[in-house]
């Protein structure tokens, strides 16, 4: 989704990928940002928090009328129906990120 949003073009691909991973881990309650992830990515969890919040906002307020082919593709079980995953509540996300 970020490939279709100009605002994310200025982010480094590695930071974007790391932020997406942290958001996915948080959304699925699979733990937080571990020292191993920090070491290999080069990013601390605090470095990623602002971008994680922006990504969740993008998921929450995405335009429903546009880009339906992408949504349809990733709603299929071959792709684990990731397009159907409910975004986190912004306050709960903030609370989870600050408690880590």
């Amino acid at each position: 989704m970020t490939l279709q949003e100009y605002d994310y073009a200025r982010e480094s691909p590695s930071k974007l990928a790391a932020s997406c991973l942290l958001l996915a881990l948080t959304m699925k309650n699979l733990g937080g940002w571990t020292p191993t992830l920090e070491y290999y990515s080069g990013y601390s969890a605090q470095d990623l928090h602002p971008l994680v919040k922006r990504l969740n906002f993008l998921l929450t307020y995405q335009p429903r009328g546009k880009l339906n082919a992408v949504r349809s593709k990733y709603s299929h079980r071959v792709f684990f129906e990731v397009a159907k995953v409910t975004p986190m509540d912004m306050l709960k996300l903030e609370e989870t990120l600050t408690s880590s």
Side-chain angles (χ1 to χ4, degrees):
M1 290 181 62
T2 59
L3 291 174
Q4 302 157 14
E5 297 290 331
Y6 188 72
D7 292 342
Y8 294 91
R10 64 187 159 107
E11 299 293 343
S12 76
S14 63
K15 188 172 186 179
L16 190 56
S19 298
C20 288
L21 177 58
L22 179 54
L23 179 58
L25 290 171
T26 305
M27 288 173 75
K28 300 299 267 176
N29 291 322
L30 296 174
W33 202 244
T34 65
T36 303
L37 289 170
E38 183 173 340
Y39 176 81
Y40 285 106
S41 71
Y43 298 107
S44 70
Q46 288 72 30
D47 295 338
L48 303 175
H49 287 179
L51 187 51
V52 168
K53 292 175 196 174
R54 285 179 48 215
L55 289 167
N56 192 64
F57 185 83
L58 177 65
L59 289 173
T60 303
Y61 297 105
Q62 59 187 305
R64 298 288 177 191
K66 296 170 33 179
L67 310 169
N68 288 327
V70 173
R71 174 171 294 289
S72 176
K73 176 180 178 178
Y74 288 99
S75 293
H76 195 274
R77 67 175 191 228
V78 170
F79 296 103
F80 303 101
E81 300 177 334
V82 296
K84 295 180 181 178
V85 175
T86 306
M88 289 190 72
D89 176 70
M90 296 302 279
L91 293 175
K92 183 177 180 186
L93 178 62
E94 176 73 32
E95 182 181 297
T96 304
L97 291 175
T98 55
S99 68
S100 318

